[in-house]
Amino acid sequence: MDKLMEVNNLKTIFRLNGKVLTAIQDINFEIYPGEVLGVVGESGSGKSLTMKSIMGILPENAMIEKGKVLYKGVNILNLKEREKRKLRGKEISMIFQDPMTALNPLRTVEYHLKEVISRHQGGGKLYSREKAIEMLKKVGIRNAEERMKQYPHEFSGGMRQRVLIAMALSCEPSLLIADEPVTALDVTTQVQILNLLKKLQTEHQMATILITHDLGVTSDMCTRVIIMYGGHIMEEGTKNQIIFHPNHPYTRALLRSSMDREKGVAKRLYTIEGYPPSLYEHLQGCPFEKRCRFASEKCRNEVPEYQYYEDGHRTLCHFRGEKLDER
Amino acid sequence: MKDDVLISVKNLKKYFPVRRGILKEKKYIKAVDGVCIDIHKGETFGLVGESGCGKSTLGKCIIRMYDITSGEIYFKNKEIGKLKSSEIKSSRNNSMQIVFQDPYSALDPSWTVAKILSEPLIQKGASNKECMERGKYLLNKVGMTEMDMERRPYEFSGGQRQRIGIARALMSNPEFVVCDEPISALDVSVQAQVINLLKDLQEEFGLTYLFASHDLSIVRYMSDWIGVMYSGKIVESGYSDKVYKNPLHPYTKILLDAIPSIYSEKRKKDITISPENLDNFSNVYEGCPFAYSCEYAKEHCKEGKPLLQEVQSGHFVACFHY
């Protein structure tokens, strides 16, 4: 199958008070049509920034230092702003984490939807109105004609997230980037939104990048998973490889420390001591070295290289997974 | 009343007035509507429910951050529900504290850690030296160092701030601490640290917790007894293992099913709770508050209010089906 998008060697830096801080580096991954790629990491691990780099919506003090993003074979980082704008929304859509702030409080829901539709698809007022109603119905909003006239504050969190999904999908994008789409929602609403995303994703055969920090959500939704930490991809593999045969110490620790229904109740929870590294720390070696129980002298001084396993499973570690089992 | 009951809440109600429309007809949001709970000494009472169900309001009513509408709150057999705010201050400072959800907004950004930690003790009239000593002692207890006393909140990560928040709550040596979603704003790898810390401190100081969260698996891990809240009411309560392993109320079942599981293979069934039914005034209806979203609801569910009753020993549920 042809790759839909390929990210090569991406590195993004921040300029802050005359200092140059590296936020993400050495980011390589690809995504195929119709698959759900999970990007898992804690806050500050660089997962949102990676997506913003791809979409070309970085904050002003950030810039892409090197790398390529090939979308259907074209490097979209070199496109002019006008061409990028055509791509965003139509070919690549994004859903943001916080449904409370992503909508303009002074505009009706109808306005939001019609704007996206008329910008990318043209068509008359009538067409965009009909399309808007159709999309709202599709995401499970009842009385779409009436609710469309309402303002964002009249919608609950879950309903707002549905509106955002309707907006993102109204132009039938080939790639949807969902940045923590359910983190701000209650568990019961989470299930509804995730099921909706899954259904629409299968219907439209749309590739999806799902950013989350919840391994349960990942396991539920994704076919392939990338684990990020300190601006690096620490491990990549299929869902089953990551969940059942993790080979990176960080992935293993993350899985062990999370609570799960299927696991019994331990007397004490397993913890990863310490905190994620901040951008200001200048790291010579592996970003996880300080918190890793397998860390050695080598980890402190040398950036590790990828270890490869079967079916594209890889880890950024000095040690192979089998070796870790023995220790 | 049994001896080891530290806090006993009887038929607690907290209504927030809201005015709507030009006629300014007075309406109420019944945030807490007739809650009865007992919290035993040295135990953790876990409160589960979604946003807006009233769990934070209940916690804040118990430590009397809010005035209550009606009902009784007993703290060590003493009625505190009707005390005036000046009278509560002393009892709250001495024996009840709270850890807030969001460690980013709970600490004054311009204060040093030393000042943040001293504040509760200064209210009690302690000397500066005492404050400093206890502050250093507690910072060590929550896994930080004395060096951190002179730093300010922005220099710390979320997990460290929550540790400071916990240390502040323990400064006045309280017996009872309300933990209002203490880990939901933290990173996954840090959540387990804070949970373990709370458990260690409980053991060491003999603390009693009210632990509110929307995540049933964390609540189960922390608590001896669980109360499930929906629309201002406790709909199910019991020993945590009983509620977790054998949920009785349809709402608890849905809540439990909704937790995303890492190892489970089956896809989640869609949930029938529709937000349309859940507006702020939903509990003005007669009848069971959950009746409009419940797949088992019968006609009579919408007519009378079900009461919390013991269906097995140590397991209560408010549902007409039992």
Side-chain angles (χ1 to χ4, degrees):
Chain A
M1 207 170 11
D2 276 349
K3 291 169 198 165
L4 183 66
M5 191 167 78
E6 187 179 347
V7 177
N8 274 334
N9 237 338
L10 191 67
K11 179 177 181 182
T12 302
I13 55 165
F14 275 109
R15 287 181 197 284
L16 214 65
N17 306 331
K19 277 187 214 145
V20 174
L21 309 170
T22 307
I24 52 168
Q25 52 189 315
D26 203 10
I27 302 293
N28 287 293
F29 66 89
E30 47 211 34
I31 181 155
Y32 295 90
E35 76 169 346
V36 183
L37 174 71
V39 179
V40 182
E42 301 175 69
S43 47
S45 62
K47 50 196 194 313
S48 290
L49 199 73
T50 307
M51 297 312 143
K52 284 182 179 162
S53 303
I54 293 170
M55 294 283 278
I57 48 170
L58 286 171
E60 266 180 15
N61 60 346
M63 62 172 279
I64 296 168
E65 199 178 76
K66 61 174 186 190
K68 272 193 246 169
V69 178
L70 300 174
Y71 178 77
K72 293 185 178 167
V74 184
N75 186 359
I76 57 173
L77 296 181
N78 291 341
L79 293 180
K80 293 204 184 72
E81 191 54 36
R82 255 185 59 156
E83 293 164 317
K84 272 191 202 168
R85 219 175 286 152
K86 266 188 199 157
L87 204 71
R88 291 195 289 255
K90 190 166 189 196
E91 290 282 334
I92 311 177
S93 256
M94 197 158 175
I95 305 173
F96 293 93
Q97 170 170 11
D98 190 355
M100 310 295 165
T101 53
L103 296 166
N104 182 347
L106 300 178
R107 296 291 191 177
T108 59
V109 165
E110 180 173 9
Y111 175 88
H112 284 97
L113 276 158
K114 275 171 141 179
E115 190 189 1
V116 188
I117 295 164
S118 60
R119 171 157 299 174
H120 293 294
Q121 301 188 339
K125 271 186 183 168
L126 213 65
Y127 170 76
S128 53
R129 196 185 130 80
E130 264 168 25
K131 181 85 188 173
I133 294 172
E134 182 200 322
M135 285 316 294
L136 285 178
K137 281 188 176 151
K138 205 174 223 168
V139 297
I141 293 180
R142 277 181 279 169
N143 302 331
E145 285 96 334
E146 265 128 64
R147 295 223 66 180
M148 217 161 69
K149 297 194 190 89
Q150 291 181 316
Y151 289 85
H153 75 265
E154 295 172 88
F155 282 64
S156 65
M159 290 311 244
R160 274 182 244 190
Q161 198 58 282
R162 283 170 201 259
V163 172
L164 288 179
I165 293 175
M167 279 167 69
L169 300 191
S170 58
C171 297
E172 303 189 354
S174 319
L175 174 63
L176 175 74
I177 301 179
D179 189 354
E180 307 247 13
V182 295
T183 310
L185 305 175
D186 277 322
V187 270
T188 50
T189 322
Q190 264 186 23
V191 178
Q192 295 173 350
I193 297 291
L194 288 178
N195 281 347
L196 174 69
L197 270 179
K198 189 89 198 164
K199 187 179 134 234
L200 295 172
Q201 188 258 334
T202 342
E203 262 173 33
H204 294 265
Q205 268 305 302
M206 170 181 69
T208 306
I209 300 181
L210 180 73
I211 303 178
T212 173
H213 62 256
D214 189 328
L215 284 163
V217 172
T218 314
S219 157
D220 191 26
M221 295 285 292
C222 303
T223 41
R224 223 147 46 81
V225 183
I226 285 175
I227 309 273
M228 283 191 76
Y229 187 85
H232 287 270
I233 292 178
M234 299 307 251
E235 182 161 7
E236 180 187 348
T238 62
K239 177 195 119 185
N240 284 344
Q241 284 166 343
I242 297 284
I243 301 285
F244 296 105
H245 308 286
N247 273 332
H248 195 284
Y250 175 61
T251 317
R252 289 187 182 185
L254 212 54
L255 280 163
R256 262 183 84 178
S257 68
S258 46
M259 266 159 284
D260 197 78
R261 297 187 57 185
E262 314 285 316
K263 285 200 287 197
V265 189
K267 190 91 182 73
R268 271 180 79 80
L269 290 176
Y270 179 81
T271 61
I272 311 174
E273 289 309 320
Y275 302 98
S278 93
L279 278 182
Y280 293 96
E281 287 173 54
H282 187 70
L283 299 168
Q284 288 207 315
C286 170
F288 189 56
E289 174 262 320
K290 276 198 185 122
R291 306 174 77 188
C292 182
R293 65 193 186 99
F294 302 106
S296 69
E297 193 64 29
K298 200 177 174 192
C299 302
R300 199 164 307 130
N301 301 322
E302 281 175 49
V303 179
E305 293 198 349
Y306 282 102
Q307 305 272 358
Y308 290 90
Y309 307 85
E310 60 200 25
D311 295 335
H313 189 182
R314 57 177 175 143
T315 58
L316 186 71
C317 186
H318 284 301
F319 302 103
R320 288 195 64 85
E322 306 89 74
K323 282 268 163 51
L324 296 177
D325 294 336
E326 295 162 12
R327 292 173 67 173
Chain B
M1 198 180 300
K2 272 181 275 165
D3 286 346
D4 67 335
V5 174
L6 185 72
I7 290 197
S8 179
V9 175
K10 300 234 182 308
N11 208 12
L12 180 72
K13 287 181 181 160
K14 173 68 188 171
Y15 296 173
F16 291 102
V18 270
R19 286 162 210 270
R20 269 198 172 178
I22 40 167
L23 290 172
K24 295 250 165 104
E25 178 200 0
K26 221 172 188 180
K27 276 188 174 178
Y28 293 96
I29 291 180
K30 300 180 177 180
V32 177
D33 195 16
V35 165
C36 302
I37 55 175
D38 283 341
I39 305 175
H40 294 260
K41 199 167 168 35
E43 289 192 350
T44 303
F45 189 101
L47 209 50
V48 207
E50 297 179 274
S51 47
C53 74
K55 55 188 191 304
S56 293
T57 311
L58 177 58
K60 287 175 181 171
C61 281
I62 293 177
I63 64 165
R64 291 298 317 278
M65 272 173 82
Y66 290 146
D67 283 334
I68 61 174
T69 307
S70 72
E72 290 153 26
I73 303 167
Y74 293 93
F75 178 70
K76 295 208 255 185
N77 293 336
K78 189 177 158 236
E79 224 284 309
I80 58 165
K82 305 233 163 29
L83 291 180
K84 289 199 197 78
S85 60
S86 56
E87 295 167 309
I88 311 154
K89 247 189 173 172
S90 66
S91 79
R92 187 165 64 211
N93 258 323
N94 289 331
S95 40
M96 297 169 152
Q97 281 294 342
I98 183 165
V99 176
F100 292 99
Q101 169 172 12
D102 183 3
Y104 292 88
S105 58
L107 307 175
D108 189 320
S110 63
W111 285 15
T112 60
V113 173
K115 192 170 179 196
I116 290 170
L117 292 180
S118 305
E119 185 68 9
L121 278 191
I122 288 172
Q123 297 289 328
K124 273 176 80 177
S127 73
N128 205 9
K129 197 173 157 238
E130 281 174 283
C131 292
M132 286 311 192
E133 267 169 22
R134 183 145 177 92
K136 284 176 186 164
Y137 168 75
L138 278 171
L139 271 189
N140 281 327
K141 280 279 172 249
V142 297
M144 297 175 69
T145 60
E146 291 175 15
M147 311 268 284
D148 296 328
M149 286 290 269
E150 293 313 314
R151 297 167 73 189
R152 286 167 214 272
Y154 65 82
E155 299 176 58
F156 298 102
S157 68
Q160 287 168 315
R161 283 182 222 206
Q162 198 56 290
R163 285 168 192 266
I164 297 170
I166 293 169
R168 172 179 64 181
L170 299 184
M171 280 300 278
S172 57
N173 203 9
E175 288 172 69
F176 176 64
V177 180
V178 174
C179 305
D180 188 7
E181 303 243 16
I183 62 162
S184 53
L186 302 179
D187 273 327
V188 199
S189 74
V190 182
Q191 285 186 353
Q193 293 175 10
V194 172
I195 289 283
N196 277 347
L197 173 68
L198 283 170
K199 277 211 144 182
D200 292 345
L201 292 170
Q202 178 168 40
E203 218 162 87
E204 185 165 352
F205 298 107
L207 298 170
T208 308
Y209 290 139
L210 178 76
F211 188 91
S213 172
H214 62 267
D215 189 333
L216 197 45
S217 39
I218 293 167
V219 169
R220 179 237 194 162
Y221 181 75
M222 277 299 289
S223 320
D224 303 284
W225 190 275
I226 289 180
V228 182
M229 249 182 127
Y230 183 81
S231 183
K233 291 187 179 61
I234 302 266
V235 294
E236 178 165 359
S237 86
Y239 288 112
S240 62
D241 265 358
K242 286 197 173 175
V243 175
Y244 195 84
K245 288 198 180 121
N246 180 25
L248 295 175
H249 198 280
Y251 177 65
T252 317
K253 287 181 188 165
I254 287 177
L255 212 53
L256 203 58
D257 265 344
I259 304 172
S261 165
I262 302 175
Y263 300 103
S264 157
E265 288 286 314
K266 71 168 197 262
R267 272 210 67 75
K268 300 256 181 308
K269 213 169 58 168
D270 223 351
I271 282 177
T272 47
I273 297 184
S274 109
E276 243 92 319
N277 299 335
L278 255 180
D279 77 79
N280 291 336
F281 299 98
S282 62
N283 49 8
V284 300
Y285 300 132
E286 298 291 312
C288 173
F290 192 59
Y292 291 85
S293 315
C294 180
E295 57 178 316
Y296 310 104
K298 301 242 162 53
E299 261 320 296
H300 66 265
C301 290
K302 296 184 181 172
E303 282 155 18
K305 280 196 166 61
L307 296 173
L308 205 59
Q309 49 184 322
E310 191 161 15
V311 289
Q312 289 164 17
S313 82
H315 198 162
F316 298 78
V317 63
C319 179
F320 285 122
H321 294 277
Y322 296 95

